[in-house]
Amino acid sequence: MVLKGKISFDKKNLPPYIFFYNVALITFFIAWFALCLPLMAVIGIIYGEATITYITLIVSFSIFAVGMIIFVILASRLRKRLVDEKCAEIEKEFEDMPLEQATQILKDKGVINESGFILKEDIFGSKVVPFDRMQFLFYAYASLSELCFRIALAEKNDNKLQAIYSLDGALYNFLNKYGFDIDYKEWDKKAFSWIAKEKRLLCKVVLGYRI
């Protein structure tokens, strides 16, 4: 999996098929540079501009071209498989639940109470910010092959960040069904709605070209 120009070999956190794809890709590059480049150089030095030199060049670069075509096709198929798997995960994680159930789950977790979000514990105890004074920012990113959805909380008219929550099914249903507006300053205006309406598009955008 390519991440910011690097190929990861984190076997523990990568799907097996991506890990083995990365291994195969690097092995191909190493083998080609270790075998074909020296062979072309040696043939060129010994025979100069002879027919065998040109044949060696054509065969070597043909091997490279065919290999890259195979890896590009394979990457496309694996990318589709990864997106399919992540869509299924989103479908399961953010399945519909009643507002009452989502509210109770968040109360049990100590995220909210009857009047607002429970934020910042200090020497004076927890700080509760009323629901109508909260503003939210949704953002998403990929860590290797994992999708990470986050909700940042702040008070209205105050740019100070109060808390960041991992967006799970309960919090998603609560925000969605309670009717909160999500602030999209750093994310596409449609991204939050994509969780329900455009899962595949959301996965493609967030994952990018990870293979």
Side-chain angles (χ1 to χ4, degrees):
M1 170 173 292
V2 178
L3 181 60
K4 296 182 178 179
K6 297 181 180 180
I7 293 180
S8 173
F9 295 99
D10 189 346
K11 188 175 183 179
K12 181 179 179 181
N13 296 306
L14 286 175
Y17 57 89
I18 295 181
F19 174 78
F20 288 117
Y21 173 88
N22 289 344
V23 171
L25 179 62
I26 291 300
T27 301
F28 173 76
F29 279 126
I30 293 174
W32 192 87
F33 281 103
L35 299 175
C36 292
L37 282 184
L39 178 62
M40 287 188 289
V42 170
I43 295 297
I45 292 172
I46 295 175
Y47 296 100
E49 296 184 5
T51 302
I52 189 173
T53 301
Y54 293 112
I55 292 175
T56 303
L57 289 173
I58 292 172
V59 171
S60 296
F61 283 106
S62 295
I63 291 173
F64 185 82
V66 171
M68 291 310 300
I69 291 172
I70 292 173
F71 278 108
V72 168
I73 294 173
L74 184 58
S76 177
R77 292 179 179 179
L78 294 182
R79 190 177 299 118
K80 181 181 181 302
R81 178 178 175 181
L82 179 62
V83 169
D84 288 342
E85 290 179 355
K86 296 307 168 184
C87 285
E89 289 179 8
I90 292 176
E91 185 73 35
K92 181 178 180 181
E93 175 64 30
F94 299 105
E95 64 183 357
D96 186 66
M97 69 172 66
L99 175 60
E100 295 75 15
Q101 181 182 352
T103 301
Q104 190 58 52
I105 291 174
L106 294 180
K107 285 181 179 179
D108 294 341
K109 289 182 177 180
V111 175
I112 63 173
N113 61 17
E114 293 292 340
S115 58
F117 280 84
I118 303 171
L119 306 174
K120 282 189 179 181
E121 291 190 0
D122 52 29
I123 59 174
F124 301 105
S126 299
K127 174 183 179 181
V128 178
V129 179
F131 294 129
D132 60 359
R133 285 174 49 194
M134 296 300 307
Q135 60 181 357
F136 308 90
L137 169 65
F138 169 69
Y139 65 99
Y141 61 93
S143 176
L144 293 180
S145 62
E146 294 302 313
L147 295 177
C148 303
F149 299 146
R150 300 288 184 267
I151 289 289
L153 281 71
E155 291 187 58
K156 291 181 179 178
N157 303 319
D158 183 357
N159 293 324
K160 187 176 181 181
L161 182 66
Q162 299 287 351
I164 297 178
Y165 292 113
S166 216
L167 184 65
D168 59 12
L171 183 56
Y172 169 75
N173 277 280
F174 179 76
L175 294 175
N176 206 27
K177 294 185 176 181
Y178 197 93
F180 290 108
D181 291 326
I182 306 297
D183 188 354
Y184 297 98
K185 290 181 180 178
E186 298 180 13
W187 184 244
D188 190 287
K189 291 183 178 181
K190 297 180 180 179
F192 189 76
S193 67
W194 286 352
I195 294 176
K197 300 176 181 178
E198 295 286 351
K199 296 177 181 63
R200 179 167 295 276
L201 179 58
L202 178 62
C203 291
K204 287 181 176 180
V205 171
V206 177
L207 288 170
Y209 290 93
R210 297 283 162 177
I211 298 176

mmCIF file of all heavy atoms in Angstrom, residues 36 40 43 66 77 81 97 99 109 112 134-135 143 156 161 187 194 197 208:
data_model
loop_
_atom_site.group_PDB
_atom_site.id
_atom_site.type_symbol
_atom_site.label_atom_id
_atom_site.label_comp_id
_atom_site.label_asym_id
_atom_site.label_seq_id
_atom_site.Cartn_x
_atom_site.Cartn_y
_atom_site.Cartn_z
ATOM 1 N N CYS A 36 18.471 -7.045 -14.827
ATOM 2 C CA CYS A 36 18.375 -6.500 -16.182
ATOM 3 C C CYS A 36 19.317 -5.329 -16.431
ATOM 4 O O CYS A 36 19.969 -5.268 -17.489
ATOM 5 C CB CYS A 36 16.935 -6.077 -16.472
ATOM 6 S SG CYS A 36 15.787 -7.467 -16.570
ATOM 7 N N MET A 40 22.188 -5.398 -19.296
ATOM 8 C CA MET A 40 22.220 -4.456 -20.408
ATOM 9 C C MET A 40 23.555 -3.733 -20.479
ATOM 10 O O MET A 40 24.108 -3.512 -21.570
ATOM 11 C CB MET A 40 21.068 -3.445 -20.270
ATOM 12 C CG MET A 40 19.691 -4.025 -20.564
ATOM 13 S SD MET A 40 18.375 -2.767 -20.610
ATOM 14 C CE MET A 40 18.271 -2.332 -18.867
ATOM 15 N N ILE A 43 26.324 -6.301 -21.745
ATOM 16 C CA ILE A 43 26.157 -6.579 -23.177
ATOM 17 C C ILE A 43 26.556 -5.368 -24.009
ATOM 18 O O ILE A 43 27.207 -5.491 -25.063
ATOM 19 C CB ILE A 43 24.697 -6.988 -23.484
ATOM 20 C CG1 ILE A 43 24.356 -8.306 -22.793
ATOM 21 C CG2 ILE A 43 24.481 -7.102 -24.988
ATOM 22 C CD1 ILE A 43 25.172 -9.485 -23.265
ATOM 23 N N VAL A 66 5.672 -5.103 -19.210
ATOM 24 C CA VAL A 66 4.656 -6.129 -18.954
ATOM 25 C C VAL A 66 4.415 -6.283 -17.459
ATOM 26 O O VAL A 66 3.261 -6.402 -16.999
ATOM 27 C CB VAL A 66 5.080 -7.482 -19.570
ATOM 28 C CG1 VAL A 66 4.136 -8.598 -19.118
ATOM 29 C CG2 VAL A 66 5.109 -7.399 -21.085
ATOM 30 N N ARG A 77 -7.819 -4.117 -9.191
ATOM 31 C CA ARG A 77 -8.716 -5.132 -8.633
ATOM 32 C C ARG A 77 -8.653 -5.156 -7.104
ATOM 33 O O ARG A 77 -9.683 -5.293 -6.431
ATOM 34 C CB ARG A 77 -8.357 -6.496 -9.195
ATOM 35 C CG ARG A 77 -8.650 -6.622 -10.692
ATOM 36 C CD ARG A 77 -8.270 -7.978 -11.231
ATOM 37 N NE ARG A 77 -8.586 -8.088 -12.660
ATOM 38 C CZ ARG A 77 -8.332 -9.162 -13.391
ATOM 39 N NH1 ARG A 77 -7.767 -10.225 -12.830
ATOM 40 N NH2 ARG A 77 -8.643 -9.178 -14.667
ATOM 41 N N ARG A 81 -11.506 -4.329 -4.206
ATOM 42 C CA ARG A 81 -11.762 -5.238 -3.081
ATOM 43 C C ARG A 81 -11.688 -4.478 -1.753
ATOM 44 O O ARG A 81 -12.540 -4.676 -0.875
ATOM 45 C CB ARG A 81 -10.743 -6.378 -3.095
ATOM 46 C CG ARG A 81 -10.895 -7.347 -1.926
ATOM 47 C CD ARG A 81 -9.895 -8.478 -2.026
ATOM 48 N NE ARG A 81 -9.944 -9.343 -0.853
ATOM 49 C CZ ARG A 81 -9.165 -10.397 -0.673
ATOM 50 N NH1 ARG A 81 -8.287 -10.745 -1.604
ATOM 51 N NH2 ARG A 81 -9.277 -11.134 0.428
ATOM 52 N N MET A 97 -30.186 3.340 13.883
ATOM 53 C CA MET A 97 -30.716 3.013 15.215
ATOM 54 C C MET A 97 -31.574 4.175 15.681
ATOM 55 O O MET A 97 -31.356 5.321 15.276
ATOM 56 C CB MET A 97 -29.586 2.739 16.214
ATOM 57 C CG MET A 97 -28.759 3.944 16.593
ATOM 58 S SD MET A 97 -27.582 3.596 17.956
ATOM 59 C CE MET A 97 -26.475 2.422 17.211
ATOM 60 N N LEU A 99 -33.118 7.279 17.760
ATOM 61 C CA LEU A 99 -32.461 8.359 18.493
ATOM 62 C C LEU A 99 -32.368 8.035 19.978
ATOM 63 O O LEU A 99 -31.350 8.305 20.623
ATOM 64 C CB LEU A 99 -33.222 9.675 18.290
ATOM 65 C CG LEU A 99 -32.718 10.887 19.088
ATOM 66 C CD1 LEU A 99 -31.273 11.206 18.738
ATOM 67 C CD2 LEU A 99 -33.612 12.089 18.839
ATOM 68 N N LYS A 109 -21.799 6.106 28.092
ATOM 69 C CA LYS A 109 -20.368 6.335 27.869
ATOM 70 C C LYS A 109 -19.869 7.621 28.534
ATOM 71 O O LYS A 109 -18.671 7.886 28.563
ATOM 72 C CB LYS A 109 -20.062 6.413 26.367
ATOM 73 C CG LYS A 109 -20.181 5.086 25.634
ATOM 74 C CD LYS A 109 -19.816 5.277 24.163
ATOM 75 C CE LYS A 109 -19.846 3.953 23.408
ATOM 76 N NZ LYS A 109 -19.490 4.136 21.970
ATOM 77 N N ILE A 112 -22.608 12.505 26.881
ATOM 78 C CA ILE A 112 -23.642 13.531 27.027
ATOM 79 C C ILE A 112 -24.459 13.258 28.288
ATOM 80 O O ILE A 112 -24.382 12.180 28.876
ATOM 81 C CB ILE A 112 -24.603 13.552 25.807
ATOM 82 C CG1 ILE A 112 -25.359 12.211 25.715
ATOM 83 C CG2 ILE A 112 -23.854 13.858 24.521
ATOM 84 C CD1 ILE A 112 -26.453 12.210 24.651
ATOM 85 N N MET A 134 -23.193 24.086 20.847
ATOM 86 C CA MET A 134 -22.114 23.285 20.283
ATOM 87 C C MET A 134 -22.023 23.475 18.771
ATOM 88 O O MET A 134 -23.012 23.690 18.088
ATOM 89 C CB MET A 134 -22.339 21.798 20.573
ATOM 90 C CG MET A 134 -22.319 21.426 22.038
ATOM 91 S SD MET A 134 -20.747 21.821 22.847
ATOM 92 C CE MET A 134 -19.565 21.026 21.772
ATOM 93 N N GLN A 135 -20.800 23.399 18.257
ATOM 94 C CA GLN A 135 -20.581 23.314 16.822
ATOM 95 C C GLN A 135 -19.653 22.128 16.561
ATOM 96 O O GLN A 135 -18.809 21.787 17.397
ATOM 97 C CB GLN A 135 -20.006 24.609 16.254
ATOM 98 C CG GLN A 135 -18.675 25.040 16.827
ATOM 99 C CD GLN A 135 -18.197 26.348 16.211
ATOM 100 O OE1 GLN A 135 -18.835 26.892 15.311
ATOM 101 N NE2 GLN A 135 -17.081 26.849 16.694
ATOM 102 N N SER A 143 -5.568 5.691 7.791
ATOM 103 C CA SER A 143 -4.328 5.233 8.409
ATOM 104 C C SER A 143 -4.036 3.851 7.848
ATOM 105 O O SER A 143 -4.717 2.888 8.193
ATOM 106 C CB SER A 143 -4.484 5.181 9.935
ATOM 107 O OG SER A 143 -3.314 4.662 10.545
ATOM 108 N N LYS A 156 -19.917 27.430 20.116
ATOM 109 C CA LYS A 156 -20.180 28.448 19.110
ATOM 110 C C LYS A 156 -19.551 29.774 19.528
ATOM 111 O O LYS A 156 -19.492 30.101 20.712
ATOM 112 C CB LYS A 156 -21.690 28.625 18.913
ATOM 113 C CG LYS A 156 -22.354 27.431 18.250
ATOM 114 C CD LYS A 156 -23.844 27.663 18.054
ATOM 115 C CE LYS A 156 -24.477 26.456 17.354
ATOM 116 N NZ LYS A 156 -25.942 26.618 17.185
ATOM 117 N N LEU A 161 -10.856 24.371 20.549
ATOM 118 C CA LEU A 161 -11.293 22.977 20.460
ATOM 119 C C LEU A 161 -11.560 22.418 21.854
ATOM 120 O O LEU A 161 -10.745 22.563 22.763
ATOM 121 C CB LEU A 161 -10.209 22.143 19.767
ATOM 122 C CG LEU A 161 -10.521 20.663 19.545
ATOM 123 C CD1 LEU A 161 -11.658 20.512 18.564
ATOM 124 C CD2 LEU A 161 -9.278 19.940 19.040
ATOM 125 N N TRP A 187 -13.583 20.056 5.183
ATOM 126 C CA TRP A 187 -14.010 18.801 4.545
ATOM 127 C C TRP A 187 -15.099 19.104 3.540
ATOM 128 O O TRP A 187 -15.826 20.093 3.665
ATOM 129 C CB TRP A 187 -14.507 17.825 5.610
ATOM 130 C CG TRP A 187 -14.887 16.473 5.070
ATOM 131 C CD1 TRP A 187 -16.123 15.906 5.066
ATOM 132 C CD2 TRP A 187 -14.037 15.529 4.451
ATOM 133 N NE1 TRP A 187 -16.088 14.671 4.490
ATOM 134 C CE2 TRP A 187 -14.819 14.415 4.102
ATOM 135 C CE3 TRP A 187 -12.661 15.518 4.149
ATOM 136 C CZ2 TRP A 187 -14.294 13.296 3.470
ATOM 137 C CZ3 TRP A 187 -12.123 14.413 3.530
ATOM 138 C CH2 TRP A 187 -12.932 13.310 3.197
ATOM 139 N N TRP A 194 -22.349 11.490 2.993
ATOM 140 C CA TRP A 194 -21.884 10.339 2.220
ATOM 141 C C TRP A 194 -21.898 9.052 3.044
ATOM 142 O O TRP A 194 -21.969 7.964 2.486
ATOM 143 C CB TRP A 194 -20.481 10.583 1.687
ATOM 144 C CG TRP A 194 -20.424 11.559 0.544
ATOM 145 C CD1 TRP A 194 -21.485 12.098 -0.132
ATOM 146 C CD2 TRP A 194 -19.251 12.124 -0.038
ATOM 147 N NE1 TRP A 194 -21.044 12.958 -1.110
ATOM 148 C CE2 TRP A 194 -19.687 12.999 -1.074
ATOM 149 C CE3 TRP A 194 -17.895 11.991 0.208
ATOM 150 C CZ2 TRP A 194 -18.783 13.719 -1.861
ATOM 151 C CZ3 TRP A 194 -17.000 12.706 -0.574
ATOM 152 C CH2 TRP A 194 -17.450 13.560 -1.599
ATOM 153 N N LYS A 197 -25.361 8.037 2.223
ATOM 154 C CA LYS A 197 -25.832 8.055 0.839
ATOM 155 C C LYS A 197 -24.794 7.607 -0.189
ATOM 156 O O LYS A 197 -25.151 7.105 -1.258
ATOM 157 C CB LYS A 197 -26.305 9.470 0.489
ATOM 158 C CG LYS A 197 -27.445 9.964 1.357
ATOM 159 C CD LYS A 197 -27.793 11.409 1.019
ATOM 160 C CE LYS A 197 -28.909 11.935 1.903
ATOM 161 N NZ LYS A 197 -29.228 13.353 1.603
ATOM 162 N N GLY A 208 -8.101 7.192 -1.263
ATOM 163 C CA GLY A 208 -7.263 7.625 -2.361
ATOM 164 C C GLY A 208 -6.654 6.422 -3.067
ATOM 165 O O GLY A 208 -7.259 5.361 -3.155
#
